């Protein structure tokens, strides 16, 4: 294996930074909902409820992921369209019944975001200004991004880079720095500033309001909002201001010019020297004049404690700054200062005056904070406690600080307030939460009757899932607690003294990080007979994730496996449909019918075979009623569905259609008769595909024309109509669909510029027919053979939207008809034909066309339609509609119309959807398949409710679920049944909101959707809360058990902790004289370890703990592994559980550890004897890794590696190796080769020789490397060694004793190196699946393994070997894409993937890994550019795509 591909499979989920700002809309866009009733009550009810003002966006980053969400607030009594998946009955607070996050855009950057800030202009509530996002990246790169409405995405407004040779002097000779750039902005948005290279402060000057092209606030009448921008930048060297060690800085409120307060330490100290040197920190306030580039010192404060680490700017009108330390909080402003001691370690600077103490003890190191009100800050501690800090003030003088406890919550990494009543807790260690808060004063608190808190919103999945589960009171289970009150006695505070806060969790984002370890086990519903790719979905990944009370086991399954209810053999099936029918249907659809409409059972199942049709009744039993119904059963059915509000069924077959009332036919139509005179001798056209949107049925014939059945709701009859506008064009149609724009306010109407259309007056179809959702407009989307797409209004067939070359897959679709006079399009066609005739372009591009279209808007208050197209080569184009009101007037459009000059166009211009645009969305997990040459069948089946989920199912050889959550598509493959021919939903007595599908083997399966997993994630995930930190997990296959190491912090008295720190053998007395008796009884938290044996629940419920193995006091379990040992007495293999431990007792005690072996009990009934200890022995040094090597046990104990024989009662050492490792991190074995990674000394490669009973060092890496994980990479007959390190790199080494540079084989040679950008903690070697093209190349490809890895950011990826030909092709493509793709935030992918050595000497290795993160952009390029690039590197598009496809197939594990 000389070449490999790096591929992400699950993107990071652990949120590191979050912020809020008006990015996609401005404050003035907010329309307050004024209730009509309250007018007369305004006087009586004086303290009216708090108005939720404009709600800003939420911006989150997770490693290299950037996402922008819009917060949707559901007001009380607002008409929410019922969505069965989201029926949360939740607490009302301030007139708000709920809030949810909806994704606006999602970006993957070529670089990890080190720091983020929102540049805001501030301003009044009717301000039209928007905010910008500033991101800072490793070393000193800064990008400023703003949201561009016309693209519905972010665009760069400025980039600032302070790296490279001309800025080398900023580093002052240093190579490595403790932290990346830190970014803060001025609250009034006048400037921002970045601290880089330790002491260099970069000041970014913001562009002033009037300096743009447009005038100030008043000039925004055109409706385009202007974002805050950065104009210029300059550098301040803080060394010149006599600062040595800067810890934090911030901009404070209330000054005319921006004022920056810097927290810095004059002389360093540490905990061991505090009694001599303490209070070493100080703050200095600089007034920044960006025009003069001057920064005079205006005030400073000395003698702050050495552990102060964070500044918090107090909002106006108070002003000033809070200094947060581990044991104290200090407030400082130019005029006043005060402090608060948090625990007994807090001492005042000169021991004279005592600091006021808080009422309880807390440690505030590693806290995050945000402001709820202008005098109340919310602090989140390292234990996940929320604290409220109140500033008691008079005028602008703060008199004292009050701290009070609030609710327990998730362990946060960042926290931000969103608007005036929400905040977001971003977390790397648990699920992130969106919380609404309400502040009342005294007893008039409206929700004081509702005792509620987020007791355990500790991100365990049960709560996260309850938020999504369709139970009646989803949030009621979570709320149990108490309010929190703050007492203050400020004499002059006008408002009531006592403030009460209550909280309600409104939404949560799933996080599976940090992945410390994982193991690969069988699923509960595994299918033993599966082979090939469907065998992969038998497995699941069980991961240790989270920390402390957010610790959990995450069970990840990349593919979905439905739970089967029943199956029948049904060969030759072509399609299945379920239809509704009720004998009597009432004519008035009142709102109480809404629920019944959703829960109505299906009546018939129609199955189309090759030459006939079967009809089944879907009552309690599926019974065939083919003979007794009037359905057309003599041939195959093309489609079936309901019309007229489910009062009738329409069945379309190849030569006709029938309308049925239940089982009785009311109308029979046949096609092709009316134009018989024109085509007298020729074959009549037959129906190829059908789209039904009540009361219309659209049919595409095999001669490229379309026919429309128009229904009349009053008589329940249909008539055939051929749309004249399309017929006159004489252009063959390759795909078409109907789109029903449902709802009280049809979405597409907003995109039209007509006044009467945008008002949303209900001039829609008369809603008398049963269905309450039937009002709305219907459109017909048509794609021609030429690749152009048009949207028509139905039934008039006026063209309202046109896109040229839809099949080329451009990133944005705009109504091209706007600008383009006809002569333009003519030249366009000529140019295309020239391109095709180019000599290397003879790719099958001529017959590329769109074979299927679908357009759908799923339920949801703010949902926007999606448009999908499938091309002949299996590519899926996915677009999301958005609204953009262009600044240009309508004059241009009128001109272009007069050029085109046809009369029909002139009157059509009025109703064009000229503000409609589409943005293309990247689809991840989906693997394309080539279309077969036979007649294409419809592959997209849209579903509105399968177990509360909505989306569409893609049938075919790679069946895939596309689900919609938060306006984002989640793609989950279904591998377990191979190819799926037909799919439909089924809702009846025995199958509640389930599904039916037919596999290519001719088996019809009726299934329900597995509900235990959360699907709003890159992979479906089930979280099992442990309430403890998991460390390592292993899998015991015979009994399907998972032994894992967990640790729980336990409070212990201090004297117990101290007595454990002395060496018992030497018998020292503890010198406790200098500790008072009070201090000895204080408690101290110590992690206590145990090994838990967990068993998955058969039903998929919570996992059971079968047994626990406790460790001794101050003993840490370090490793747990299932090992197979050869018992030398009985001469047979035994599978045992091996545990390696270490006693952690401080630096004065020699390190010891134990190795423990447990046997698994034979009897499964008696759980007590499940595990029995068969051996335990204490060794010198910590036992940090164990492994079985050809039936013997290899133990890494401290600096030694010892190989043992197992006699059944004893471990006898037979060989050892005294490597200089300090501490073995990981141990891997293949045959008789051993790979070990050391915490500092890189990797060692050893072999075990049986005859001499010796462990030999073959080679090692001479560099110094802090290893995280190691594994063997096997490609055919070549063996490579993979290692990941603390700088987030991976390296591949190989052993080549014949090469001269390997120093006669002593040195391992580098084969490849790559920067992953995340700490890889575990590699897992899995056999790659042979793809059809790969198998032909030779048998070498069969024994090929990829490495699946997990990271601390919650991402999962793999590194897979490639053959040289593929590698060279993809590498040259990668080099092209560096320039061909516009990278978000202007980051260079090549720079990101460079090996980071952090200042250590490192010789660059070969660049032999291709980056699939960059190659994934190839499919997102327009078709013409794809062909162009493929041509430039001397290959074809289909070749590149098949290589990428093979790689995706070969690594589709799980």
């Amino acid at each position: 294996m000389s070449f490999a591909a790096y591929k992400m499979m699950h993107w990071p989920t652990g949120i590191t930074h979050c912020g809020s700002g008006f990015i996609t809309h401005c404050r003035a866009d907010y329309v307050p909902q004024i209730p009509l009733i309250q007018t007369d009550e305004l006087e009586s009810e004086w303290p009216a409820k708090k108005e939720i003002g404009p709600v800003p966006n939420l911006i989150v980053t997770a490693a290299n992921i950037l996402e922008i969400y819009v917060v949707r607030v559901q007001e009380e009594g607002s008409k929410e369209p019922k969505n069965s998946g989201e029926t949360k009955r939740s607490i009302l607070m301030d007139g708000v019944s709920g809030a949810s996050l909806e994704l606006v855009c999602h970006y993957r950057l070529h670089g990890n975001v080190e720091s983020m800030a929102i540049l805001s202009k501030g301003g009044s509530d009717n301000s039209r200004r928007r905010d910008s996002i500033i991101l800072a990246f490793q070393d000193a790169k800064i990008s400023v991004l703003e949201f561009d409405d016309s693209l519905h995405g972010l665009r760069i407004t400025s980039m600032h880079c302070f790296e490279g040779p001309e800025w080398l002097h900023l580093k002052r000779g240093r190579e490595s720095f403790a932290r990346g750039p830190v970014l803060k902005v001025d609250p009034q948005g006048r400037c921002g500033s970045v601290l880089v290279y330790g002491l260099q402060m970069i000041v970014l000057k913001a562009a002033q309001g009037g300096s743009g092209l447009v005038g100030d606030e008043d000039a925004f009448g055109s409706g385009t909002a202007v974002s805050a921008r950065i104009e210029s930048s300059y550098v301040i060297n803080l060394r010149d201001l006599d600062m040595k060690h800067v810890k934090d800085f911030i901009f404070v409120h209330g000054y005319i010019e921006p004022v920056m307060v810097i927290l810095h330490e004059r002389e360093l100290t540490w905990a061991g020297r505090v009694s001599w040197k303490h209070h070493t920190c100080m703050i200095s306030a600089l007034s920044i004049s960006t025009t003069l580039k001057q920064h005079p010192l205006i005030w400073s404060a000395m003698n702050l404690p050495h552990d102060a680490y964070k500044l918090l700017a107090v909002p106006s009108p108070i002003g000033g700054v809070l200094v947060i330390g581990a044991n104290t909080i200090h407030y400082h402003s130019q005029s006043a200062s005060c402090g608060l001691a948090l625990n007994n370690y807090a001492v005042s600077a000169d021991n004279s005056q005592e600091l006021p103490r808080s009422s309880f003890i807390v440690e505030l190191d590693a806290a995050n904070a945000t402001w709820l009100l202008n005098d109340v800050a919310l602090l989140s501690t390292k234990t996940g406690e929320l604290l409220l800090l109140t500033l008691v003030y008079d005028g602008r003088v703060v008199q004292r600080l009050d701290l009070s406890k609030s609710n327990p919550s998730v362990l946060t990494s960042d926290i931000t307030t969103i608007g005036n009543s929400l905040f977001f807790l971003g977390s790397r260690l648990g699920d992130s939460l969106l919380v609404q808060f309400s502040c009342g004063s005294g007893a008039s608190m409206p929700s004081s009757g509702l005792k509620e808190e987020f007791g355990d919103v500790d991100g365990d999945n049960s709560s996260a899932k309850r938020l999504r589960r369709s139970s009646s009171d989803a949030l009621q289970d979570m709320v149990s607690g108490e309010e929190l009150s703050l007492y203050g006695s400020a004499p002059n505070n006008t408002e009531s003294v006592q403030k009460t806060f209550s909280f309600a969790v409104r939404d949560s984002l799933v996080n599976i990080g940090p992945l410390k370890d994982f193991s690969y086990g069988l699923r509960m519903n595994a299918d033993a007979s599966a082979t090939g790719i469907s065998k992969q979905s038998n497995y699941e990944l069980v991961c240790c994730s989270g920390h402390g009370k957010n610790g959990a086991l995450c069970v990840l399954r990349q593919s979905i496996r439905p739970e089967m209810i029943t199956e029948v053999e049904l060969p030759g099936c072509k399609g299945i449909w379920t239809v509704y029918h009720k004998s009597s249907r009432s004519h008035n659809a009142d709102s109480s019918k809404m629920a019944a409409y959703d829960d109505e059972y299906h009546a018939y199942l129609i199955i189309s075979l090759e030459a006939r049709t079967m009809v089944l009744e879907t009552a309690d039993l599926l019974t065939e009623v083919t003979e007794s119904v009037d359905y057309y059963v003599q041939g195959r059915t093309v489609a079936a569905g309901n019309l007229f509000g489910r009062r009738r069924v329409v069945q379309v077959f190849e030569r006709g259609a029938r309308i049925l009332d239940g089982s009785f036919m009311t109308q029979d139509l046949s096609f092709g008769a009316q134009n018989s005179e024109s085509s007298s001798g020729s074959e009549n056209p037959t129906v190829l595909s059908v789209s039904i949107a009540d009361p219309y049925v659209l049919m595409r014939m095999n001669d490229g024309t379309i026919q429309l059945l128009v229904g009349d709701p009053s008589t329940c009859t249909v008539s055939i109509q051929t749309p004249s506008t399309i017929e006159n064009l004489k252009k063959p149609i390759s795909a078409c669909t109907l789109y029903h724009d449902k709802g009280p306010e049809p979405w597409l109407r907003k995109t039209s510029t007509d006044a009467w259309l945008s008002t949303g007056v209900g001039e829609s179809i008369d809603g008398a027919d049963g269905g309450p959702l039937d009002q709305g407009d219907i459109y017909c989307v048509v794609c021609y053979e030429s690749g152009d797409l048009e949207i028509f209004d139905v039934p008039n067939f006026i063209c309202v939207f046109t896109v040229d070359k839809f099949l080329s897959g451009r990133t944005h679709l705009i109504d091209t008809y706007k600008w383009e006079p006809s002569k333009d399009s003519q030249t366009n066609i000529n140019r295309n034909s020239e391109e095709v005739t180019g000599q290397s372009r003879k790719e099958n591009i001529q017959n590329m066309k769109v074979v299927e279209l679908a357009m759908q808007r799923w339920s949801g208050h703010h949902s926007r339609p999606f448009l999908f197209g499938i091309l002949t080569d299996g590519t899926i184009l996915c677009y999301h509609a958005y609204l953009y009101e262009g600044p240009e007037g309508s004059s241009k459009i009128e001109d272009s119309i007069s050029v085109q000059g046809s009369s029909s166009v002139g009157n059509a211009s009025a109703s064009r959807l000229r503000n409609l645009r589409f943005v293309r969305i990247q689809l991840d997990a989906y693997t394309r398949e080539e279309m077969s040459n036979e007649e294409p069948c419809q592959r997209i089946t849209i579903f509105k409710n399968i177990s509360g989920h909505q989306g569409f199912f893609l049938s075919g050889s790679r069946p895939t679920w596309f689900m919609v959550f938060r306006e984002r598509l989640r793609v989950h493959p279904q591998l377990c049944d191979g190819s799926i021919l037909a799919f439909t939903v089924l809702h009846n007595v025995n199958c509640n909101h389930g599904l039916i599908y037919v596999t290519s083997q001719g088996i019809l399966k009726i299934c329900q959707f597995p509900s235990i997993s959360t699907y709003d994630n890159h992979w479906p995930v089930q979280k099992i809360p442990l309430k403890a930190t998991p460390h390592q997990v292993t899998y015991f296959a015979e009994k399907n058990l998972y032994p894992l190491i967990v640790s729980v912090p336990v409070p212990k008295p201090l004297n117990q902790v101290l007595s454990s720190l002395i060496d018992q053998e030497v018998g020292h007395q503890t010198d406790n004289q200098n500790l008072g008796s009070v201090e000895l009884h204080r408690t101290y938290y110590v992690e206590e370890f145990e090994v838990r044996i967990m068993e998955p629940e058969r039903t998929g419920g919570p996992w059971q703990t079968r047994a626990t193995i406790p460790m001794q006091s101050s003993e840490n379990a370090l490793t747990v592994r299932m090992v197979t040992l050869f018992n030398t007495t009985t001469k047979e293999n035994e599978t045992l559980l091996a545990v390696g431990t270490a006693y952690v007792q401080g630096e004065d005690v020699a390190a010891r550890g134990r190795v423990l072996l447990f046997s698994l009990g034979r009897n499964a009934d008696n759980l007590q004897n499940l595990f029995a200890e068969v051996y335990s022995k204490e060794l010198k040094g910590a036992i940090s890794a164990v492994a079985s090597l050809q039936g013997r046990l290899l133990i890494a104990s401290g600096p030694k590696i010892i190989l043992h024989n197992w006699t059944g009662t004893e471990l006898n050492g037979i060989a050892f190796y005294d490597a200089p490792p300090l501490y073995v991190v990981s141990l891997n074995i293949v045959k008789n080769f051993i790979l070990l990674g050391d915490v500092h000394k890189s990797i060692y490669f050893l072999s075990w020789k049986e005859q001499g009973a010796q462990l030999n060092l073959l080679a090692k890496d001479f560099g110094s490397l802090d290893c995280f994980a190691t594994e063997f990479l096997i490609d055919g007959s070549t063996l490579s060694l993979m290692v990941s390190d603390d700088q987030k790199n991976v390296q591949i080494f190989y052993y080549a004793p014949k090469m001269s540079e390997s120093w006669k084989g002593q040195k391992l040679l580098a084969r490849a190196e790559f920067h992953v950008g995340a700490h890889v903690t575990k590699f897992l070697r899995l056999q790659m699946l042979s793809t059809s093209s790969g198998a032909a190349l030779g048998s070498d490809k069969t024994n090929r393994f990829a490495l699946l890895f997990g990271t601390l950011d919650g991402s999962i990826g793999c590194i897979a070997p490639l053959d040289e030909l593929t590698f060279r092709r993809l590498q040259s493509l990668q080099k092209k894409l560096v320039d061909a793709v516009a990278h978000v935030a202007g980051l260079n992918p090549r720079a990101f993937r460079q090996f980071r050595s952090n200042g250590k000497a490192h010789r660059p290795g070969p660049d032999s890994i291709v980056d699939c993160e960059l190659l994934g952009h190839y499919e997102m390029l327009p078709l013409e550019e794809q062909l162009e690039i493929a041509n430039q590197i001397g290959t074809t598009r289909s070749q590149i795509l098949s290589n990428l496809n093979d790689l995706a197939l070969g690594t589709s594990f799980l």
Side-chain angles (χ1 to χ4, degrees), residues 659-807:
I659 307 294
L660 300 105
D661 184 351
S663 56
F664 306 107
M665 179 165 72
T666 58
Q667 193 181 356
D668 192 2
L669 299 158
S670 64
F671 308 138
Q674 66 272 51
N675 53 2
S676 56
E677 61 276 2
S678 62
S679 60
S680 51
S682 66
E683 186 74 13
N684 284 339
T686 57
V687 181
L688 280 185
S689 69
V690 176
S691 172
I692 301 174
D694 192 2
Y696 299 104
V697 181
L698 177 75
M699 296 165 301
R700 182 170 70 84
M701 309 310 232
N702 61 359
D703 59 355
T705 59
I706 57 174
Q707 305 252 339
L708 186 71
L709 299 184
V710 183
D712 177 357
S714 55
T715 61
C716 286
T717 55
V718 296
S719 54
I720 300 181
Q721 175 191 330
T722 307
S724 55
T725 42
I726 295 191
E727 200 178 26
N728 296 341
L729 287 173
K730 292 276 186 273
K731 289 205 278 186
I733 291 171
S734 67
C736 60
T737 184
L738 288 178
Y739 165 59
H740 191 166
D741 206 13
K742 285 192 177 155
E745 316 172 347
W747 192 85
L748 282 182
R749 260 186 227 178
K750 301 177 196 164
T751 65
S752 162
T753 42
D754 298 6
W756 63 270
L757 271 174
S758 50
T759 54
V761 182
E763 67 298 273
S764 50
I765 307 151
D766 172 32
D769 40 49
L773 296 175
D774 275 342
Q775 64 276 57
D777 307 328
I778 295 187
Y779 296 90
C780 170
V781 189
V782 168
C783 206
Y784 300 107
E785 298 264 356
S786 61
D788 300 342
L789 173 126
E790 290 195 306
I791 301 181
F792 293 93
D793 184 11
V794 177
N796 312 324
F797 275 91
I798 298 169
C799 178
V800 291
F801 189 83
T802 313
V803 180
D804 291 342
K805 283 274 166 252
F806 169 72
L807 64 70

Side-chain angles (χ1 to χ4, degrees), residues 365-408:
D365 48 329
N368 291 296
T370 186
W371 291 94
L372 298 187
L373 304 174
N374 60 3
D375 58 345
V376 180
L378 178 79
L379 298 163
S380 156
T381 67
K382 59 180 177 183
T383 57
E385 200 95 35
L386 291 183
L387 308 176
L388 290 161
L389 177 71
T390 308
L391 280 65
V392 182
Y393 66 102
D394 178 9
R396 290 190 66 168
V397 178
V398 173
Q399 291 155 342
R400 60 191 170 82
L401 306 172
D402 266 0
L403 194 66
S404 68
K405 277 196 177 185
S406 170
N407 319 37

Side-chain angles (χ1 to χ4, degrees), residues 139-140 161-177 196-200 202 235 237 239 1399:
D139 284 350
C161 182
F162 295 87
E163 299 172 13
E166 64 271 35
W167 296 103
L168 256 180
H169 63 278
L170 294 182
K171 290 191 177 188
R172 299 187 59 88
R174 282 184 63 184
E175 281 291 340
S176 71
F177 297 89
V196 297
Y197 304 131
L199 285 170
Q200 307 289 342
I202 299 166
V235 183
N237 186 352
R239 198 180 295 269

